[in-house]
Amino acid sequence: MNDLLKWSIENSSTSEPAPDAPRPRPVDPEMMRALFSGPSDADLMKQSMAAIISPDITLDNKLVAFDNLEQLIENIDNANNLEPLGLWTPLVELLGHEEQRLRRMAAWCVGTAVQNNEKAQERALVVGAIPALIKMALEEKDETVKRKALYALSSEMRNYQPGTNEAVRALPESLPGDGNIDARDMVAVDEFIAKLRERK
């Protein structure tokens, strides 16, 4: 930082340099990166998840980290980075966390990641998010958590037939299914979600 400040002073003069004055030094690219670059979105996503699952972080700070993660994955490129960063598995595991506020945030993040994003919908299917969301929708006692689970499930089903088929299959035998649902039929998907919402 001192070197960068020295370079700035040396190169900030607007007057004509003396003939024998030393030529300005070129800036060191490493110094410029150190000054202007911060953590990448990928780094921030990994840091957020590390805080969320750490036993040494308070619940309030875990929720702040979860909120940061949710905002980051509103960007479709960041949502698609959940897989290469290895974040899908811990995210889905958090759907079953004992703390309801963490379950709510996990469902919210899943819903944000998969919304209008077939690549993320595919990953959510592969890592088992759909059965977990169905379980939450049927068994969750906290209404705010249930709403986020239904939001995530609805986002996973829309325009993604494999996700819709899995949601129908994941219903318990005691709950009558809706047969084959066309993932492009928004009314049919809404009706499926509404039945889960109404079930107490």
Side-chain angles (χ1 to χ4, degrees), residues 119-160:
K119 185 175 180 179
Q121 288 172 316
E122 179 184 355
R123 295 314 307 167
L125 172 65
V126 169
V127 297
I130 295 173
L133 293 169
I134 290 284
K135 180 179 173 65
M136 292 174 74
L138 295 175
E139 300 178 7
E140 182 61 58
K141 303 302 181 185
D142 185 277
E143 193 61 32
T144 62
V145 180
K146 181 172 182 173
R147 281 200 296 269
K148 290 301 182 186
L150 291 170
Y151 154 70
L153 188 61
S154 174
S155 297
E156 171 67 10
M157 294 173 64
R158 291 176 187 276
N159 294 308
Y160 183 57

Side-chain angles (χ1 to χ4, degrees), residues 58-115:
T58 66
L59 176 59
D60 283 346
N61 285 332
K62 288 176 186 285
L63 293 172
V64 170
F66 238 144
D67 187 59
N68 291 338
L69 179 62
E70 194 277 330
Q71 292 183 54
L72 284 163
I73 61 178
E74 287 177 355
N75 179 299
I76 193 169
D77 292 330
N78 288 340
N80 289 337
N81 267 340
L82 286 169
E83 179 198 0
L85 294 175
L87 301 183
W88 264 115
T89 295
L91 180 58
V92 171
E93 289 174 350
L94 285 160
L95 293 172
H97 199 280
E98 61 183 0
E99 168 54 52
Q100 65 186 39
R101 284 171 287 183
L102 294 181
R103 294 197 303 273
R104 179 178 68 86
M105 289 303 302
W108 192 354
C109 282
V110 171
T112 298
V114 302
Q115 193 169 44

Side-chain angles (χ1 to χ4, degrees), residues 1-10 25 27-38:
M1 185 62 73
N2 289 336
D3 287 342
L4 187 60
L5 180 59
K6 184 177 179 182
W7 177 90
S8 177
I9 293 170
E10 290 176 354
R25 291 184 299 140
V27 67
D28 184 340
E30 289 298 325
M31 287 193 296
M32 293 300 290
R33 278 195 288 271
L35 181 64
F36 294 112
S37 66

Side-chain angles (χ1 to χ4, degrees), residues 171-189:
L171 291 174
E173 293 182 1
S174 60
L175 189 64
D178 286 53
N180 295 323
I181 297 177
D182 186 342
R184 298 167 299 178
D185 186 343
M186 298 299 100
V187 173
V189 172

Side-chain angles (χ1 to χ4, degrees), residues 35-47:
L35 181 64
F36 294 112
S37 66
S40 66
D41 283 0
D43 290 334
L44 292 172
M45 290 166 65
K46 290 188 292 185
Q47 291 169 12

